[in-house]
Structure formats: structure tokens, C-alpha cells
Amino acid sequence: MKVVIMAGGQGTRFWPWSVKDRPKQFLSLMSEETMLQQTYNRFRKWLKKEKIYVVTTEEYVPIVKEQLPSMSINQIIVEPVPRDTAPCIALTALHFLKDHDNEVFAAVPADHYIHDDHILQEIFKMAEKVAENEPAIVTLGIKPTRPETGYGYIRAEKFDGGNNQVLSVKAFIEKPTKDKAEKLLEAENIYWNSGIFIWKPSTISYFMDKFQPEIWEKLKKFTENQAYQYSLVPKISVDYAILEKAETIYTIPVDLQWDDVGNWTAWERLTKEVNEENLVQGDVHLLSSNNCVIKSEDRKAIIIGVENLIIASTDKGLLVCHKSQEQKIKDLLKNTLKENEN
């Protein structure tokens, strides 16, 4: 089995700490190691280094080489430009298939926090056995612990010939409202979608040819000298491109301390001490303020009389955002970039 770490995202929801030049997967959020290094070392506990790959965009290859110096350049799969997870994973499958390599691999994000990673080896081996059967797709479903509105969910059920450890996926549920998330938390066989997928390259080929034939044909003709051609491939997530359409998809429920460290409140959740009123980093002075996340890298900050805010200042910019509006950071940045292009 191989592991392919997806490290091409731009981490805009963590702006201005995470920026295009050095997004969150290359930052030290939870420890002295960066998120990429933590992910790599998590799998090195039981996989040979030759079995671990990174897929990233061309602009981040130097950072990957800097942070993972022991990784061979042949184990870095390069996207010329970011086109979302479906083209990224399809390109990875083609990378293996051109060498007649059809070994099962797990596509894993570079920015997840997994505390109980000692149990992963057994889980991944179980997933590998299922994924050996084409065209099977295996996901890891995380047991929900709160009514989270920033994650997608999986609805699963037992199936004939299966067991309690492997369930059949019946539906993917988009990021819900707070009310719907609370109802999902009470339902049976509901899990967070971890964004970790285990499958064979030939399985990806089968589903891309079935559901996304135009994209698949373009990717099969792609070479490293045709970066422009790759930029014409539509941006589409693997969820929309394959997962929501496939029938032979399974999930293995996992009960562990897991978090998609995708935004400021996730960082707060994992970093803040239980009795702290605020999470503060930098030269910050507070008075009569509560339940705030404040990070100041570039200046002294004085914060008085506020609640439930995210305040972040770096040399790249200033963010002031109510926690309830955090999901809008990405959209606003996207609109700002479009305005700058025009």
C-alpha cells in the first residue's frame, strides 16, 4: 500500500497566517513540525519512505523538498496549476498507471490533526483489503463529537456480507446548517467525511472514464510540457466528480481524536487550554474581552471590550471577523483576487 499526501491547497480560510506563498500545510500550527511534516511522519511509523508520495502544485515543490529533504524527487507528483481534488487524484492515478503500478493507495490531506495515529495501520490495512476489489472506494468516516457545520457528512448502513467495521455509503451530505447538524449528531450510522480515500489507480480510471470522460481524456493526453493544457481542465472536487455518483463505495467508522485544521476556530479548538478565556499569540494586551482568537505577528495589539472575534495581523494583512462569519473568509478572498485580476 502507498500513501499520497495532497499538499497543493492554498489554505485561504486561515488568511492572513496562511497565504498563497506559504499555505497552512507548510506552517507549524500544532507543534514545531509543519502540518506536512507531521503527516509524513505519521505514516513513516509503519510505511517505508518509498511508499509515501506527495502531490502538490509546481510552485510548492521547492517547499516540499525543503521540508521533506529525504523524499526522492520521483515521489513528488506535480500539478502545473491547482485544479481541485478530482484532477489532482486522477493525475496521481495516471502517474502510477503509466508505470503499470496498480497498487492500492490512500489519498490523504496534508493538514489533518490525528492524535491517536497508532491505530491507523490496522485501519488502513483493513481498507486496503476492501479496495483490492475493483471498483471499490473506501473512505474513513469519523464519529462526530459536535454539530459541526464546516464538514461534510456520510450516511452509511450495514450490507449483506459485510460487518460492523465496514459499512456501505448511502449518501454524502454537504456542510449542513446548525439545526441539521444537531439532528445528524443524534442519528445512527452518520459520520464526518474525513477526506481520506483508499482505492486502486485502476478504480479511479474506471470512475473517471464513466463519470468524467472529457476530463479523463484531457488528462491522459497531458504531459509535463503541456501545462497550458492542464490549466484548461475544469476545477472540480473528487466528491462531485466521483464519490456522489459511485455505487461501490464503503466507509470504515473510526473513533479517534481527528480534526480538519482548516480554519481559525479549528486551531483554537486544538490549541486553547480548557480554562482560557481567549487564545492569544504574539504581543497582545487584552482587557474585558472574551472568547476571541487573536494572533499578532507584526505589531503590538491592544484589544478592549470585544467578544467572539478572530483578529489576526501579519505582514500580509489584517483580519477582523466574527466567529459566526468565519466560513465567508474564503469567498471574500476569492472575490478580492478576481477584482485584482480585473
Side-chain angles (χ1 to χ4, degrees):
M1 182 181 200
K2 297 184 180 72
V3 164
V4 178
I5 302 171
M6 297 180 288
Q10 298 186 353
T12 50
R13 288 177 294 171
F14 245 121
W15 188 89
W17 191 4
S18 169
V19 293
K20 187 175 183 293
D21 293 344
R22 189 167 287 256
K24 63 180 178 179
Q25 62 267 29
F26 304 119
L27 300 177
S28 302
L29 302 183
M30 312 303 303
S31 70
E32 292 183 0
E33 292 181 328
T34 67
M35 295 299 289
L36 174 63
Q37 291 169 330
Q38 283 187 307
T39 304
Y40 178 82
N41 290 331
R42 177 178 302 133
F43 292 101
R44 274 293 286 125
K45 292 177 182 178
W46 54 277
L47 279 177
K48 295 179 180 179
K49 65 180 181 180
E50 293 79 14
K51 292 290 189 179
I52 305 177
Y53 290 71
V54 170
V55 57
T56 191
T57 52
E58 190 169 11
E59 65 181 316
Y60 298 141
V61 170
I63 307 179
V64 173
K65 292 167 66 177
E66 168 198 326
Q67 296 195 357
L68 301 178
S70 65
M71 175 170 279
S72 166
I73 189 64
N74 296 326
Q75 289 167 256
I76 301 176
I77 302 167
V78 182
E79 278 192 288
V81 292
R83 307 314 292 163
D84 216 323
T85 52
C88 167
I89 288 174
L91 189 68
T92 299
L94 284 169
H95 176 88
F96 295 131
L97 289 172
K98 73 178 182 181
D99 292 330
H100 307 287
D101 180 355
N102 197 30
E103 184 179 18
V104 170
F105 76 90
V108 304
D111 54 359
H112 285 181
Y113 170 82
I114 301 176
H115 177 67
D116 309 309
D117 60 11
H118 63 280
I119 70 172
L120 288 181
Q121 182 176 2
E122 180 182 347
I123 293 167
F124 273 66
K125 283 185 176 180
M126 187 189 309
E128 182 181 19
K129 289 180 180 178
V130 179
E132 286 283 357
N133 303 300
E134 296 183 61
I137 304 171
V138 185
T139 72
L140 298 190
I142 309 298
K143 185 177 179 180
T145 57
R146 60 183 182 277
E148 176 62 56
T149 60
Y151 298 162
Y153 289 69
I154 293 170
R155 177 178 285 112
E157 66 179 28
K158 296 179 183 179
F159 64 97
D160 293 340
N163 56 53
N164 292 334
Q165 293 179 296
V166 181
L167 304 178
S168 176
V169 173
K170 304 314 294 180
F172 287 91
I173 302 167
E174 286 300 301
K175 297 174 182 177
T177 63
K178 186 68 178 294
D179 288 344
K180 187 172 182 179
E182 289 175 349
K183 292 178 181 177
L184 288 171
L185 193 62
E186 298 173 357
E188 292 185 359
N189 293 328
I190 293 291
Y191 304 94
W192 285 331
N193 180 3
S194 68
I196 296 172
F197 309 109
I198 299 98
W199 39 18
K200 282 184 174 181
S202 57
T203 295
I204 297 168
S205 172
Y206 170 82
F207 283 118
M208 286 297 295
D209 188 53
K210 182 176 183 179
F211 297 128
Q212 305 296 334
E214 292 184 9
I215 295 176
W216 188 234
E217 286 303 315
K218 285 182 180 179
L219 290 174
K220 287 196 292 185
K221 296 174 183 177
F222 165 76
T223 69
E224 290 183 1
N225 297 324
Q226 295 175 318
Y228 174 72
Q229 189 69 22
Y230 189 82
S231 70
L232 300 179
V233 173
K235 288 185 177 182
I236 183 171
S237 75
V238 73
D239 300 67
Y240 291 127
I242 293 178
L243 300 179
E244 294 183 358
K245 299 176 174 65
E247 295 180 357
T248 50
I249 183 163
Y250 306 92
T251 191
I252 298 177
V254 185
D255 188 3
L256 49 67
Q257 188 179 353
W258 170 92
D259 216 301
D260 175 2
V261 192
N263 53 29
W264 287 100
T265 50
W267 181 61
E268 176 191 29
R269 186 164 54 245
L270 295 169
T271 308
K272 186 177 178 180
E273 296 293 335
V274 174
N275 295 322
E276 285 181 332
E277 293 182 350
N278 304 278
L279 176 58
V280 176
Q281 192 173 92
D283 189 4
V284 177
H285 304 268
L286 288 173
L287 181 65
S288 302
S289 297
N290 186 50
N291 197 32
C292 293
V293 180
I294 305 165
K295 178 180 175 63
S296 183
E297 288 186 351
D298 60 337
R299 69 193 70 194
K300 177 184 288 189
I302 296 176
I303 312 294
I304 302 173
V306 298
E307 293 184 347
N308 304 316
L309 292 185
I310 302 165
I311 303 171
S313 177
T314 75
D315 60 359
K316 301 297 184 180
L318 170 67
L319 169 71
V320 181
C321 174
H322 195 276
K323 285 184 177 180
S324 65
Q325 303 296 307
E326 184 181 21
Q327 297 296 331
K328 297 180 180 179
I329 296 173
K330 182 176 182 178
D331 293 336
L332 183 57
L333 278 175
K334 189 184 297 185
N335 292 335
T336 302
L337 289 172
K338 286 181 181 178
E339 291 172 2
N340 291 339
E341 290 173 358
N342 296 330

Coordinates of all heavy atoms in Angstrom, one line a residue, residues 39 86 123 249 337:
T39 N 2.2 15.0 8.9 CA 1.5 14.0 8.2 C 2.5 12.9 7.6 O 2.2 11.7 7.7 CB 0.7 14.6 7.0 OG1 -0.1 15.6 7.5 CG2 -0.1 13.6 6.2
A86 N -10.3 16.4 -7.8 CA -10.6 15.4 -8.8 C -9.5 15.3 -9.8 O -8.9 14.2 -10.1 CB -11.9 15.6 -9.5
I123 N -6.3 0.1 10.6 CA -7.5 0.6 9.8 C -7.1 0.6 8.3 O -7.9 0.2 7.4 CB -7.9 2.0 10.3 CG1 -8.4 1.9 11.7 CG2 -8.9 2.6 9.4 CD1 -8.6 3.2 12.4
I249 N -19.0 2.1 -2.9 CA -18.2 3.0 -2.0 C -18.5 2.6 -0.6 O -19.7 2.4 -0.2 CB -18.5 4.5 -2.3 CG1 -17.6 5.3 -1.4 CG2 -19.9 4.9 -2.2 CD1 -17.5 6.8 -1.9
L337 N -9.4 38.6 -5.1 CA -8.5 38.2 -6.1 C -9.0 38.4 -7.5 O -8.3 38.9 -8.4 CB -8.1 36.7 -5.9 CG -7.3 36.3 -4.7 CD1 -7.2 34.8 -4.5 CD2 -5.9 36.9 -4.7

